[in-house]
Amino acid sequence: MGVSYIPVARIGELNPGAMKEVDLGGRQVLVAFVEGKYYAFSRQCPHEEADLKEAGQLLNGTQIRCNNHSYCFDLKTGDCTLPKGGAPLTVLPAEERGEEVCIRLEW
Amino acid sequence: MSYDLLIRGGRVVDGSGLPSYVADVGVKDGKVTEIGKIKEGAVKTIDAGGLAVSPGFIDHHTHLDAQMLWDPYGTCEPQHGVTSVVMGNCGLSLAPVRQGIEDAIVKSFVRVEAIPRIALDQGVKWNWHSYGEYLDNFEGKVGINVGGLVGHIAVRHHAMGEEAVERKATGTEVQKMKGLVLDAMEGGALGMSTNRNDRHMREDGKPVSSRLADDDEFFALCDVLAERNAGVIETILGRNKVEHFEWYHELAKRTQRPILWQSLQHRWSEPNLWREQLAAVEPIFKAGYQAYGLSHTVPLVRHFTMKDCQIFDEFPTWKNLMFLPVEVRKQAFADADTRKKLQGELDNLRETNYHKRWDIPKIEKVFKPENQKYVGKTIAEMAAMRNQAPIDAFLDLALDENLETIFWNANNGGDWNAMGEILRSPYVLIGTSDAGAHVLFGADFGYGTILLGLWVRERQVMSLEQAIHKLTFHPASIFGLQGRGLLRPGYAADIAVFDPKTVNAEEPVWANDFPANSKRMVQQAIGMNYTIVNGTVINDHGRMTGELPGQVMRGPLYRQHKAAA
């Protein structure tokens, strides 16, 4: 068991509301800078697998809408907020460590 | 008598459910005219020795409303033996329409059915107003038979404009909608559909208009069908609850029309739900009404490796491991304490979509000869062979093959016994292909060929005769498709000729055949030799012949209305 911090961006690299794509262990992840914080989440919408790099739209607050079917997700928890009860978005914990944004993966 | 078409020596599975038999089938002027030992010749003869000859399949749950306008075959329907399709399901139809509401309808199709907007913008010309005029577009221009339901969403927008997604209808507006439904039925609609699924939104995030309708409105519209004794009522209410069945019962009793509801399938996450649904619907039939649950034949299968998979994302440690660099992940998978933690997450009683069972996922493909003996086994079976705990057997095998072993899993439709009971139920109508919809996500044109290949031949959950009945005369009867769905003299010569030893569906693949070269998924068939529509071959071993013998299947009110006129 252990913990890994995987750097995915430099502090200041992303403008507010911007997203960056990252490969983590072969999985495609998006890192977004929203309301002064970084969020990391799967690039694939859990509803019908749309690519959130193309179909994802950051909304006010920490929400992302998949424009394929208008499903919305909370980037903090991954919960599907519209419609409620939909499959959750896979989110990963992003932390600022020094000059870097890292994903904290514990096992 | 000389025939236009003679199908010699096949095993006739006539759609009734009765035992099949070997016979020749003679076709003249688009109809079956003789079945038996036929001596006369024909313009065209098909040797069907060793093959099954059945009525063409009727795909009653499609969203081909737009696609049929640019693709006269509804590709890939004929490749799978489908000769007739019903459009207009889930509250969505392209008619009736008036100037100014076209985009409201498109917004709904784009989101609910995931049809690319560019395809709809370029492929739909809106040269109609009424439902009957919409159907007129297909006369003489289609390869398969088409019919449709009038969708509540278009009806509501027609009566209320954009306010249809904002509020309840007034009494005057409900009367207007009733008039539109009647006009659609007299124009040939086979029934009406509605959508109350709280997950179904438009492109702009607003609910589809039918979700704003209350029972008074919807029942009033259904009364149009009830008063004239015509048409089916197709519904989607979202996740099924017990109170839904009270609603279906009330609707069925009030209208005495066939009610269709979605949907019924075995899910490992709710393994008893299907049984509860069948128990809940039985009293409706016992009381003398019809409320058929729609069920799919295609298991929701995922193929995965431990190099790249998402199916464990609901479990925090599993999820984190799957995002780690592969070499670190492999070390973690080999660690006994980590394995204990991983198994602990699966043992947690928290409700998840993943079934958390080792007797369901199977080993599909291995890369080392010594592991070949595990192919086709479940992980539980493999663990027993190796005398290991399942998690150890699973991860040891994956590690032994550099995480490249391919596993098979089905969260839905993977319990053979449950699926057998569901598919055999007299209260179940098989088929939710959704053809024409969700085109970037999948393609289930092969729901019929999968029924015949997977469930009849491989799993033997029902006889070929029962399955063909479920694909043909059963939907024809419910939808009132007169003269179709059976192989009998006088019936339309809509015929599928297939090899019961090989028939099945291929995996979906990408194509760029939608308007503006937009892409979508298509699915080819195996073992479907010929598809014949109204006596004309349209599919010859997977190749479309270019013939367009399809007809518009209009409902009984159309015929009455025309006769009265």
Side-chain angles (χ1 to χ4, degrees), chain A residues 1 24-25 27 29 44 48-49 67-70 83 85 90-91 106, chain B residues 111 114 199 201-202 302 308-310 313 319-320 324 329 335 438 441:
Chain A
M1 293 191 281
L24 279 188
R27 297 276 301 268
V29 171
Q44 194 173 65
E48 281 203 356
E49 302 180 1
N67 281 330
N68 202 24
H69 285 95
S70 299
T90 297
V91 295
E106 185 179 355
Chain B
R111 284 296 173 255
R199 296 185 180 189
M201 298 167 285
R202 303 196 313 182
R302 290 285 179 268
D308 178 13
C309 80
Q310 301 139 38
D313 278 6
K319 177 184 78 175
N320 286 350
L324 279 173
R329 191 186 315 161
D335 177 64
H438 311 283
F441 182 63

PDB file of all heavy atoms in Angstrom, chain A residues 1 24-25 27 29 44 48-49 67-70 83 85 90-91 106, chain B residues 111 114 199 201-202 302 308-310 313 319-320 324 329 335 438 441:
ATOM      1  N   MET A   1       0.846  -1.191   0.000  1.00  0.00           N
ATOM      2  CA  MET A   1       0.000   0.000   0.000  1.00  0.00           C
ATOM      3  C   MET A   1       0.882   1.241   0.000  1.00  0.00           C
ATOM      4  O   MET A   1       2.003   1.197   0.503  1.00  0.00           O
ATOM      5  CB  MET A   1      -0.932  -0.010   1.204  1.00  0.00           C
ATOM      6  CG  MET A   1      -1.960  -1.146   1.106  1.00  0.00           C
ATOM      7  SD  MET A   1      -3.280  -1.075   2.293  1.00  0.00           S
ATOM      8  CE  MET A   1      -2.468  -1.726   3.718  1.00  0.00           C
ATOM      9  N   LEU A  24      -2.939   9.512 -17.564  1.00  0.00           N
ATOM     10  CA  LEU A  24      -2.546   8.968 -16.260  1.00  0.00           C
ATOM     11  C   LEU A  24      -2.660   7.451 -16.316  1.00  0.00           C
ATOM     12  O   LEU A  24      -3.765   6.906 -16.332  1.00  0.00           O
ATOM     13  CB  LEU A  24      -3.469   9.468 -15.148  1.00  0.00           C
ATOM     14  CG  LEU A  24      -3.249  10.848 -14.540  1.00  0.00           C
ATOM     15  CD1 LEU A  24      -4.153  11.029 -13.333  1.00  0.00           C
ATOM     16  CD2 LEU A  24      -1.800  11.044 -14.142  1.00  0.00           C
ATOM     17  N   GLY A  25      -1.539   6.791 -16.385  1.00  0.00           N
ATOM     18  CA  GLY A  25      -1.558   5.326 -16.412  1.00  0.00           C
ATOM     19  C   GLY A  25      -2.347   4.766 -17.572  1.00  0.00           C
ATOM     20  O   GLY A  25      -2.938   3.692 -17.471  1.00  0.00           O
ATOM     21  N   ARG A  27      -5.023   6.142 -18.784  1.00  0.00           N
ATOM     22  CA  ARG A  27      -6.387   6.706 -18.756  1.00  0.00           C
ATOM     23  C   ARG A  27      -6.322   8.182 -19.122  1.00  0.00           C
ATOM     24  O   ARG A  27      -5.395   8.898 -18.727  1.00  0.00           O
ATOM     25  CB  ARG A  27      -7.002   6.553 -17.364  1.00  0.00           C
ATOM     26  CG  ARG A  27      -7.191   5.134 -16.892  1.00  0.00           C
ATOM     27  CD  ARG A  27      -8.479   4.513 -17.388  1.00  0.00           C
ATOM     28  NE  ARG A  27      -9.677   5.228 -16.993  1.00  0.00           N
ATOM     29  CZ  ARG A  27     -10.374   4.960 -15.882  1.00  0.00           C
ATOM     30  NH1 ARG A  27      -9.978   4.009 -15.072  1.00  0.00           N
ATOM     31  NH2 ARG A  27     -11.475   5.633 -15.603  1.00  0.00           N
ATOM     32  N   VAL A  29      -7.457  11.925 -18.741  1.00  0.00           N
ATOM     33  CA  VAL A  29      -7.980  12.747 -17.649  1.00  0.00           C
ATOM     34  C   VAL A  29      -7.971  14.202 -18.081  1.00  0.00           C
ATOM     35  O   VAL A  29      -7.117  14.611 -18.875  1.00  0.00           O
ATOM     36  CB  VAL A  29      -7.082  12.553 -16.397  1.00  0.00           C
ATOM     37  CG1 VAL A  29      -7.446  13.539 -15.288  1.00  0.00           C
ATOM     38  CG2 VAL A  29      -7.183  11.119 -15.885  1.00  0.00           C
ATOM     39  N   GLN A  44     -14.015  10.927 -19.986  1.00  0.00           N
ATOM     40  CA  GLN A  44     -15.159  10.241 -20.579  1.00  0.00           C
ATOM     41  C   GLN A  44     -16.420  10.441 -19.742  1.00  0.00           C
ATOM     42  O   GLN A  44     -16.433  10.141 -18.544  1.00  0.00           O
ATOM     43  CB  GLN A  44     -14.845   8.754 -20.675  1.00  0.00           C
ATOM     44  CG  GLN A  44     -15.775   7.984 -21.556  1.00  0.00           C
ATOM     45  CD  GLN A  44     -15.294   6.551 -21.721  1.00  0.00           C
ATOM     46  OE1 GLN A  44     -15.262   5.784 -20.770  1.00  0.00           O
ATOM     47  NE2 GLN A  44     -14.921   6.186 -22.925  1.00  0.00           N
ATOM     48  N   GLU A  48     -22.895   8.333 -21.743  1.00  0.00           N
ATOM     49  CA  GLU A  48     -22.748   7.621 -23.020  1.00  0.00           C
ATOM     50  C   GLU A  48     -21.353   7.808 -23.592  1.00  0.00           C
ATOM     51  O   GLU A  48     -21.177   7.822 -24.817  1.00  0.00           O
ATOM     52  CB  GLU A  48     -23.823   8.056 -24.018  1.00  0.00           C
ATOM     53  CG  GLU A  48     -25.155   7.388 -23.759  1.00  0.00           C
ATOM     54  CD  GLU A  48     -26.054   7.341 -24.974  1.00  0.00           C
ATOM     55  OE1 GLU A  48     -25.704   7.895 -26.020  1.00  0.00           O
ATOM     56  OE2 GLU A  48     -27.133   6.747 -24.855  1.00  0.00           O
ATOM     57  N   GLU A  49     -20.383   7.984 -22.704  1.00  0.00           N
ATOM     58  CA  GLU A  49     -18.979   7.928 -23.084  1.00  0.00           C
ATOM     59  C   GLU A  49     -18.538   9.052 -24.001  1.00  0.00           C
ATOM     60  O   GLU A  49     -17.544   8.918 -24.729  1.00  0.00           O
ATOM     61  CB  GLU A  49     -18.642   6.562 -23.706  1.00  0.00           C
ATOM     62  CG  GLU A  49     -18.955   5.398 -22.772  1.00  0.00           C
ATOM     63  CD  GLU A  49     -18.633   4.046 -23.367  1.00  0.00           C
ATOM     64  OE1 GLU A  49     -18.144   3.995 -24.500  1.00  0.00           O
ATOM     65  OE2 GLU A  49     -18.869   3.037 -22.676  1.00  0.00           O
ATOM     66  N   ASN A  67     -22.295  18.269 -23.132  1.00  0.00           N
ATOM     67  CA  ASN A  67     -23.269  18.768 -24.104  1.00  0.00           C
ATOM     68  C   ASN A  67     -23.838  17.680 -24.994  1.00  0.00           C
ATOM     69  O   ASN A  67     -24.663  17.963 -25.852  1.00  0.00           O
ATOM     70  CB  ASN A  67     -22.640  19.878 -24.945  1.00  0.00           C
ATOM     71  CG  ASN A  67     -22.624  21.183 -24.178  1.00  0.00           C
ATOM     72  OD1 ASN A  67     -23.501  21.439 -23.341  1.00  0.00           O
ATOM     73  ND2 ASN A  67     -21.618  21.996 -24.414  1.00  0.00           N
ATOM     74  N   ASN A  68     -23.408  16.447 -24.773  1.00  0.00           N
ATOM     75  CA  ASN A  68     -24.003  15.361 -25.557  1.00  0.00           C
ATOM     76  C   ASN A  68     -25.464  15.143 -25.141  1.00  0.00           C
ATOM     77  O   ASN A  68     -26.343  14.976 -25.984  1.00  0.00           O
ATOM     78  CB  ASN A  68     -23.195  14.079 -25.362  1.00  0.00           C
ATOM     79  CG  ASN A  68     -23.401  13.101 -26.495  1.00  0.00           C
ATOM     80  OD1 ASN A  68     -23.758  13.501 -27.602  1.00  0.00           O
ATOM     81  ND2 ASN A  68     -23.189  11.835 -26.242  1.00  0.00           N
ATOM     82  N   HIS A  69     -25.719  15.130 -23.825  1.00  0.00           N
ATOM     83  CA  HIS A  69     -27.093  14.956 -23.349  1.00  0.00           C
ATOM     84  C   HIS A  69     -27.439  15.927 -22.232  1.00  0.00           C
ATOM     85  O   HIS A  69     -28.434  15.728 -21.526  1.00  0.00           O
ATOM     86  CB  HIS A  69     -27.301  13.538 -22.808  1.00  0.00           C
ATOM     87  CG  HIS A  69     -27.404  12.499 -23.867  1.00  0.00           C
ATOM     88  ND1 HIS A  69     -26.342  11.774 -24.276  1.00  0.00           N
ATOM     89  CD2 HIS A  69     -28.460  12.076 -24.598  1.00  0.00           C
ATOM     90  CE1 HIS A  69     -26.718  10.933 -25.224  1.00  0.00           C
ATOM     91  NE2 HIS A  69     -27.990  11.101 -25.436  1.00  0.00           N
ATOM     92  N   SER A  70     -26.593  16.919 -22.005  1.00  0.00           N
ATOM     93  CA  SER A  70     -26.823  17.926 -20.948  1.00  0.00           C
ATOM     94  C   SER A  70     -26.715  17.351 -19.541  1.00  0.00           C
ATOM     95  O   SER A  70     -27.245  17.935 -18.601  1.00  0.00           O
ATOM     96  CB  SER A  70     -28.181  18.619 -21.118  1.00  0.00           C
ATOM     97  OG  SER A  70     -28.230  19.285 -22.346  1.00  0.00           O
ATOM     98  N   PRO A  83     -29.346  14.752 -14.747  1.00  0.00           N
ATOM     99  CA  PRO A  83     -30.400  14.473 -13.782  1.00  0.00           C
ATOM    100  C   PRO A  83     -29.808  13.863 -12.511  1.00  0.00           C
ATOM    101  O   PRO A  83     -28.765  13.207 -12.575  1.00  0.00           O
ATOM    102  CB  PRO A  83     -31.258  13.444 -14.512  1.00  0.00           C
ATOM    103  CG  PRO A  83     -30.284  12.736 -15.386  1.00  0.00           C
ATOM    104  CD  PRO A  83     -29.282  13.759 -15.826  1.00  0.00           C
ATOM    105  N   GLY A  85     -28.978  11.459  -9.629  1.00  0.00           N
ATOM    106  CA  GLY A  85     -28.960   9.998  -9.567  1.00  0.00           C
ATOM    107  C   GLY A  85     -28.322   9.329 -10.755  1.00  0.00           C
ATOM    108  O   GLY A  85     -28.251   8.110 -10.813  1.00  0.00           O
ATOM    109  N   THR A  90     -16.064  10.063 -12.819  1.00  0.00           N
ATOM    110  CA  THR A  90     -14.884   9.660 -12.045  1.00  0.00           C
ATOM    111  C   THR A  90     -14.006  10.882 -11.797  1.00  0.00           C
ATOM    112  O   THR A  90     -13.559  11.532 -12.746  1.00  0.00           O
ATOM    113  CB  THR A  90     -14.092   8.588 -12.812  1.00  0.00           C
ATOM    114  OG1 THR A  90     -14.920   7.431 -12.943  1.00  0.00           O
ATOM    115  CG2 THR A  90     -12.821   8.217 -12.073  1.00  0.00           C
ATOM    116  N   VAL A  91     -13.822  11.231 -10.522  1.00  0.00           N
ATOM    117  CA  VAL A  91     -12.985  12.395 -10.180  1.00  0.00           C
ATOM    118  C   VAL A  91     -11.774  11.904  -9.386  1.00  0.00           C
ATOM    119  O   VAL A  91     -11.813  10.861  -8.727  1.00  0.00           O
ATOM    120  CB  VAL A  91     -13.765  13.454  -9.365  1.00  0.00           C
ATOM    121  CG1 VAL A  91     -14.887  14.045 -10.191  1.00  0.00           C
ATOM    122  CG2 VAL A  91     -14.314  12.865  -8.070  1.00  0.00           C
ATOM    123  N   GLU A 106      -3.900   7.151  -3.694  1.00  0.00           N
ATOM    124  CA  GLU A 106      -3.563   6.337  -2.530  1.00  0.00           C
ATOM    125  C   GLU A 106      -4.124   4.928  -2.733  1.00  0.00           C
ATOM    126  O   GLU A 106      -5.206   4.755  -3.284  1.00  0.00           O
ATOM    127  CB  GLU A 106      -4.185   6.975  -1.277  1.00  0.00           C
ATOM    128  CG  GLU A 106      -3.786   6.275   0.009  1.00  0.00           C
ATOM    129  CD  GLU A 106      -4.410   6.947   1.224  1.00  0.00           C
ATOM    130  OE1 GLU A 106      -5.063   7.989   1.050  1.00  0.00           O
ATOM    131  OE2 GLU A 106      -4.260   6.409   2.327  1.00  0.00           O
TER     132      GLU A 106
ATOM    133  N   ARG B 111     -30.637  15.594 -28.113  1.00  0.00           N
ATOM    134  CA  ARG B 111     -30.212  15.220 -26.780  1.00  0.00           C
ATOM    135  C   ARG B 111     -30.745  13.863 -26.335  1.00  0.00           C
ATOM    136  O   ARG B 111     -30.003  13.020 -25.855  1.00  0.00           O
ATOM    137  CB  ARG B 111     -30.649  16.295 -25.770  1.00  0.00           C
ATOM    138  CG  ARG B 111     -29.793  17.500 -25.824  1.00  0.00           C
ATOM    139  CD  ARG B 111     -28.355  17.190 -25.423  1.00  0.00           C
ATOM    140  NE  ARG B 111     -27.489  18.325 -25.641  1.00  0.00           N
ATOM    141  CZ  ARG B 111     -26.627  18.419 -26.640  1.00  0.00           C
ATOM    142  NH1 ARG B 111     -26.503  17.452 -27.520  1.00  0.00           N
ATOM    143  NH2 ARG B 111     -25.867  19.484 -26.768  1.00  0.00           N
ATOM    144  N   ALA B 114     -29.488  11.356 -29.039  1.00  0.00           N
ATOM    145  CA  ALA B 114     -28.069  11.486 -29.411  1.00  0.00           C
ATOM    146  C   ALA B 114     -27.843  11.280 -30.906  1.00  0.00           C
ATOM    147  O   ALA B 114     -27.000  10.489 -31.327  1.00  0.00           O
ATOM    148  CB  ALA B 114     -27.213  10.523 -28.591  1.00  0.00           C
ATOM    149  N   ARG B 199     -34.705  12.095 -16.971  1.00  0.00           N
ATOM    150  CA  ARG B 199     -33.344  12.277 -17.477  1.00  0.00           C
ATOM    151  C   ARG B 199     -33.337  12.783 -18.918  1.00  0.00           C
ATOM    152  O   ARG B 199     -32.272  12.978 -19.494  1.00  0.00           O
ATOM    153  CB  ARG B 199     -32.572  10.956 -17.404  1.00  0.00           C
ATOM    154  CG  ARG B 199     -32.388  10.490 -15.986  1.00  0.00           C
ATOM    155  CD  ARG B 199     -31.534   9.255 -15.899  1.00  0.00           C
ATOM    156  NE  ARG B 199     -31.409   8.884 -14.505  1.00  0.00           N
ATOM    157  CZ  ARG B 199     -30.582   7.935 -14.066  1.00  0.00           C
ATOM    158  NH1 ARG B 199     -29.829   7.293 -14.899  1.00  0.00           N
ATOM    159  NH2 ARG B 199     -30.524   7.658 -12.792  1.00  0.00           N
ATOM    160  N   MET B 201     -33.717  15.443 -21.526  1.00  0.00           N
ATOM    161  CA  MET B 201     -33.699  16.895 -21.676  1.00  0.00           C
ATOM    162  C   MET B 201     -33.451  17.249 -23.130  1.00  0.00           C
ATOM    163  O   MET B 201     -33.031  16.412 -23.919  1.00  0.00           O
ATOM    164  CB  MET B 201     -32.562  17.474 -20.829  1.00  0.00           C
ATOM    165  CG  MET B 201     -32.729  17.211 -19.361  1.00  0.00           C
ATOM    166  SD  MET B 201     -31.224  17.573 -18.446  1.00  0.00           S
ATOM    167  CE  MET B 201     -30.184  16.199 -18.868  1.00  0.00           C
ATOM    168  N   ARG B 202     -33.675  18.540 -23.406  1.00  0.00           N
ATOM    169  CA  ARG B 202     -33.347  19.027 -24.737  1.00  0.00           C
ATOM    170  C   ARG B 202     -31.880  19.474 -24.765  1.00  0.00           C
ATOM    171  O   ARG B 202     -31.193  19.481 -23.764  1.00  0.00           O
ATOM    172  CB  ARG B 202     -34.238  20.211 -25.104  1.00  0.00           C
ATOM    173  CG  ARG B 202     -35.710  19.938 -25.049  1.00  0.00           C
ATOM    174  CD  ARG B 202     -36.485  20.989 -25.779  1.00  0.00           C
ATOM    175  NE  ARG B 202     -36.080  22.362 -25.451  1.00  0.00           N
ATOM    176  CZ  ARG B 202     -36.663  23.436 -25.952  1.00  0.00           C
ATOM    177  NH1 ARG B 202     -37.676  23.303 -26.794  1.00  0.00           N
ATOM    178  NH2 ARG B 202     -36.269  24.649 -25.620  1.00  0.00           N
ATOM    179  N   ARG B 302     -18.947  -5.399 -21.561  1.00  0.00           N
ATOM    180  CA  ARG B 302     -17.709  -4.626 -21.624  1.00  0.00           C
ATOM    181  C   ARG B 302     -16.534  -5.608 -21.653  1.00  0.00           C
ATOM    182  O   ARG B 302     -16.474  -6.531 -20.851  1.00  0.00           O
ATOM    183  CB  ARG B 302     -17.576  -3.703 -20.416  1.00  0.00           C
ATOM    184  CG  ARG B 302     -18.563  -2.552 -20.430  1.00  0.00           C
ATOM    185  CD  ARG B 302     -18.136  -1.490 -21.444  1.00  0.00           C
ATOM    186  NE  ARG B 302     -19.086  -0.392 -21.492  1.00  0.00           N
ATOM    187  CZ  ARG B 302     -20.126  -0.329 -22.321  1.00  0.00           C
ATOM    188  NH1 ARG B 302     -20.356  -1.315 -23.168  1.00  0.00           N
ATOM    189  NH2 ARG B 302     -20.942   0.706 -22.321  1.00  0.00           N
ATOM    190  N   ASP B 308      -6.265  -1.019 -18.804  1.00  0.00           N
ATOM    191  CA  ASP B 308      -7.086   0.149 -19.095  1.00  0.00           C
ATOM    192  C   ASP B 308      -8.558  -0.227 -18.938  1.00  0.00           C
ATOM    193  O   ASP B 308      -9.156  -0.762 -19.853  1.00  0.00           O
ATOM    194  CB  ASP B 308      -6.816   0.624 -20.526  1.00  0.00           C
ATOM    195  CG  ASP B 308      -7.682   1.811 -20.896  1.00  0.00           C
ATOM    196  OD1 ASP B 308      -8.294   2.400 -19.991  1.00  0.00           O
ATOM    197  OD2 ASP B 308      -7.743   2.141 -22.089  1.00  0.00           O
ATOM    198  N   CYS B 309      -9.110   0.044 -17.782  1.00  0.00           N
ATOM    199  CA  CYS B 309     -10.548  -0.209 -17.637  1.00  0.00           C
ATOM    200  C   CYS B 309     -11.149   0.752 -16.624  1.00  0.00           C
ATOM    201  O   CYS B 309     -10.451   1.335 -15.799  1.00  0.00           O
ATOM    202  CB  CYS B 309     -10.818  -1.652 -17.235  1.00  0.00           C
ATOM    203  SG  CYS B 309     -10.577  -1.999 -15.501  1.00  0.00           S
ATOM    204  N   GLN B 310     -12.450   0.927 -16.745  1.00  0.00           N
ATOM    205  CA  GLN B 310     -13.168   1.856 -15.866  1.00  0.00           C
ATOM    206  C   GLN B 310     -14.177   1.154 -14.981  1.00  0.00           C
ATOM    207  O   GLN B 310     -14.808   1.799 -14.151  1.00  0.00           O
ATOM    208  CB  GLN B 310     -13.923   2.882 -16.718  1.00  0.00           C
ATOM    209  CG  GLN B 310     -13.054   3.677 -17.624  1.00  0.00           C
ATOM    210  CD  GLN B 310     -13.685   3.857 -18.974  1.00  0.00           C
ATOM    211  OE1 GLN B 310     -14.890   4.042 -19.060  1.00  0.00           O
ATOM    212  NE2 GLN B 310     -12.907   3.787 -20.032  1.00  0.00           N
ATOM    213  N   ASP B 313     -14.221   1.841 -11.249  1.00  0.00           N
ATOM    214  CA  ASP B 313     -14.085   3.221 -10.782  1.00  0.00           C
ATOM    215  C   ASP B 313     -14.963   3.548  -9.575  1.00  0.00           C
ATOM    216  O   ASP B 313     -14.754   4.569  -8.917  1.00  0.00           O
ATOM    217  CB  ASP B 313     -14.408   4.205 -11.919  1.00  0.00           C
ATOM    218  CG  ASP B 313     -13.215   4.417 -12.835  1.00  0.00           C
ATOM    219  OD1 ASP B 313     -12.205   3.719 -12.657  1.00  0.00           O
ATOM    220  OD2 ASP B 313     -13.307   5.272 -13.737  1.00  0.00           O
ATOM    221  N   LYS B 319      -9.960   2.275  -8.256  1.00  0.00           N
ATOM    222  CA  LYS B 319      -9.908   3.429  -9.160  1.00  0.00           C
ATOM    223  C   LYS B 319      -8.519   4.046  -9.155  1.00  0.00           C
ATOM    224  O   LYS B 319      -7.922   4.269 -10.212  1.00  0.00           O
ATOM    225  CB  LYS B 319     -10.949   4.471  -8.722  1.00  0.00           C
ATOM    226  CG  LYS B 319     -10.923   5.743  -9.543  1.00  0.00           C
ATOM    227  CD  LYS B 319     -11.897   6.780  -9.036  1.00  0.00           C
ATOM    228  CE  LYS B 319     -11.358   7.485  -7.804  1.00  0.00           C
ATOM    229  NZ  LYS B 319     -12.228   8.575  -7.355  1.00  0.00           N
ATOM    230  N   ASN B 320      -7.990   4.319  -7.963  1.00  0.00           N
ATOM    231  CA  ASN B 320      -6.687   4.968  -7.896  1.00  0.00           C
ATOM    232  C   ASN B 320      -5.608   4.131  -8.576  1.00  0.00           C
ATOM    233  O   ASN B 320      -4.738   4.653  -9.267  1.00  0.00           O
ATOM    234  CB  ASN B 320      -6.318   5.239  -6.435  1.00  0.00           C
ATOM    235  CG  ASN B 320      -7.114   6.402  -5.862  1.00  0.00           C
ATOM    236  OD1 ASN B 320      -7.803   7.109  -6.597  1.00  0.00           O
ATOM    237  ND2 ASN B 320      -7.035   6.603  -4.560  1.00  0.00           N
ATOM    238  N   LEU B 324      -2.645   4.822 -11.874  1.00  0.00           N
ATOM    239  CA  LEU B 324      -1.209   4.817 -11.589  1.00  0.00           C
ATOM    240  C   LEU B 324      -0.423   4.385 -12.828  1.00  0.00           C
ATOM    241  O   LEU B 324      -0.954   3.660 -13.681  1.00  0.00           O
ATOM    242  CB  LEU B 324      -0.907   3.811 -10.468  1.00  0.00           C
ATOM    243  CG  LEU B 324      -1.141   4.262  -9.033  1.00  0.00           C
ATOM    244  CD1 LEU B 324      -0.940   3.078  -8.095  1.00  0.00           C
ATOM    245  CD2 LEU B 324      -0.203   5.403  -8.650  1.00  0.00           C
ATOM    246  N   ARG B 329       1.455   0.185 -10.758  1.00  0.00           N
ATOM    247  CA  ARG B 329       0.200  -0.560 -10.592  1.00  0.00           C
ATOM    248  C   ARG B 329       0.486  -2.061 -10.466  1.00  0.00           C
ATOM    249  O   ARG B 329      -0.106  -2.756  -9.644  1.00  0.00           O
ATOM    250  CB  ARG B 329      -0.700  -0.304 -11.808  1.00  0.00           C
ATOM    251  CG  ARG B 329      -2.126  -0.789 -11.643  1.00  0.00           C
ATOM    252  CD  ARG B 329      -2.926  -0.648 -12.927  1.00  0.00           C
ATOM    253  NE  ARG B 329      -2.724   0.635 -13.575  1.00  0.00           N
ATOM    254  CZ  ARG B 329      -2.997   0.891 -14.852  1.00  0.00           C
ATOM    255  NH1 ARG B 329      -3.504  -0.066 -15.615  1.00  0.00           N
ATOM    256  NH2 ARG B 329      -2.795   2.072 -15.362  1.00  0.00           N
ATOM    257  N   ASP B 335       0.913  -6.988  -4.339  1.00  0.00           N
ATOM    258  CA  ASP B 335       1.055  -6.832  -2.884  1.00  0.00           C
ATOM    259  C   ASP B 335      -0.146  -7.445  -2.144  1.00  0.00           C
ATOM    260  O   ASP B 335      -1.304  -7.115  -2.439  1.00  0.00           O
ATOM    261  CB  ASP B 335       1.178  -5.334  -2.575  1.00  0.00           C
ATOM    262  CG  ASP B 335       1.244  -5.081  -1.086  1.00  0.00           C
ATOM    263  OD1 ASP B 335       2.217  -5.540  -0.466  1.00  0.00           O
ATOM    264  OD2 ASP B 335       0.296  -4.460  -0.554  1.00  0.00           O
ATOM    265  N   HIS B 438     -28.626   7.255 -30.612  1.00  0.00           N
ATOM    266  CA  HIS B 438     -27.383   6.969 -29.867  1.00  0.00           C
ATOM    267  C   HIS B 438     -26.303   6.458 -30.824  1.00  0.00           C
ATOM    268  O   HIS B 438     -25.580   5.511 -30.517  1.00  0.00           O
ATOM    269  CB  HIS B 438     -27.657   5.953 -28.753  1.00  0.00           C
ATOM    270  CG  HIS B 438     -28.842   6.317 -27.907  1.00  0.00           C
ATOM    271  ND1 HIS B 438     -28.780   7.297 -26.941  1.00  0.00           N
ATOM    272  CD2 HIS B 438     -30.118   5.881 -27.920  1.00  0.00           C
ATOM    273  CE1 HIS B 438     -29.973   7.423 -26.382  1.00  0.00           C
ATOM    274  NE2 HIS B 438     -30.803   6.586 -26.959  1.00  0.00           N
ATOM    275  N   PHE B 441     -22.685   5.952 -29.865  1.00  0.00           N
ATOM    276  CA  PHE B 441     -22.461   5.147 -28.662  1.00  0.00           C
ATOM    277  C   PHE B 441     -22.515   3.654 -28.950  1.00  0.00           C
ATOM    278  O   PHE B 441     -21.807   2.866 -28.342  1.00  0.00           O
ATOM    279  CB  PHE B 441     -23.514   5.519 -27.622  1.00  0.00           C
ATOM    280  CG  PHE B 441     -23.365   4.803 -26.314  1.00  0.00           C
ATOM    281  CD1 PHE B 441     -22.243   4.976 -25.539  1.00  0.00           C
ATOM    282  CD2 PHE B 441     -24.354   3.949 -25.860  1.00  0.00           C
ATOM    283  CE1 PHE B 441     -22.099   4.320 -24.328  1.00  0.00           C
ATOM    284  CE2 PHE B 441     -24.234   3.291 -24.647  1.00  0.00           C
ATOM    285  CZ  PHE B 441     -23.093   3.480 -23.876  1.00  0.00           C
TER     286      PHE B 441
END
